[in-house]
Amino acid sequence: MKRLAVLFVLGAACAWAGEEVELKGELGCGHCDYHKAQSCAAGLKTADGKIYLIDNATKEIMDARVKGAKATVTGKVTEKEGLLYVHATKQEITK
């Protein structure tokens, strides 16, 4: 039974890491506001409190992060050294 549970968790993690997801939340500086990055970066805080660093943020997103704008980001999520990253295929500022 324990093996089945472990396989289920591993399978869910692999599916989560490979699929595109849509994230909505508030933009902020990954360093100054969210204390997750070593230097200034675009971060997105979702309603569940998770913080994602946008590894390929557009200039528009980078500018909007200092204003606390809301955004929708679509892309693949990865985890590295305990941090969540999203490689965005679509990024837009929302109201």
Side-chain angles (χ1 to χ4, degrees), residues 44-57:
L44 183 75
K45 184 174 184 178
T46 57
D48 62 1
K50 291 183 182 177
I51 303 198
Y52 297 84
L53 298 174
I54 306 169
D55 66 6
N56 63 332

Side-chain angles (χ1 to χ4, degrees), residues 48-83:
D48 62 1
K50 291 183 182 177
I51 303 198
Y52 297 84
L53 298 174
I54 306 169
D55 66 6
N56 63 332
T58 63
K59 181 179 180 339
E60 180 183 28
I61 293 288
M62 289 298 285
D63 291 345
R65 73 187 159 90
V66 297
K67 300 173 186 168
K70 304 264 188 224
T72 301
V73 177
T74 304
K76 291 186 180 182
V77 173
T78 57
E79 184 176 342
K80 183 178 178 184
E81 298 176 4
L83 299 174

Side-chain angles (χ1 to χ4, degrees), residues 3-91:
R3 287 182 187 174
L4 182 59
V6 169
L7 288 175
F8 176 76
V9 170
L10 288 175
C14 290
W16 170 71
E19 296 178 15
E20 275 200 353
V21 295
E22 182 179 89
L23 303 169
K24 295 181 180 187
E26 185 174 331
L27 291 170
C29 179
H31 175 71
C32 302
D33 296 325
Y34 301 136
H35 311 289
K36 297 290 184 180
Q38 294 294 324
S39 60
C40 292
L44 183 75
K45 184 174 184 178
T46 57
D48 62 1
K50 291 183 182 177
I51 303 198
Y52 297 84
L53 298 174
I54 306 169
D55 66 6
N56 63 332
T58 63
K59 181 179 180 339
E60 180 183 28
I61 293 288
M62 289 298 285
D63 291 345
R65 73 187 159 90
V66 297
K67 300 173 186 168
K70 304 264 188 224
T72 301
V73 177
T74 304
K76 291 186 180 182
V77 173
T78 57
E79 184 176 342
K80 183 178 178 184
E81 298 176 4
L83 299 174
L84 294 171
Y85 292 87
V86 59
H87 185 78
T89 56
K90 183 178 178 185
Q91 306 171 46

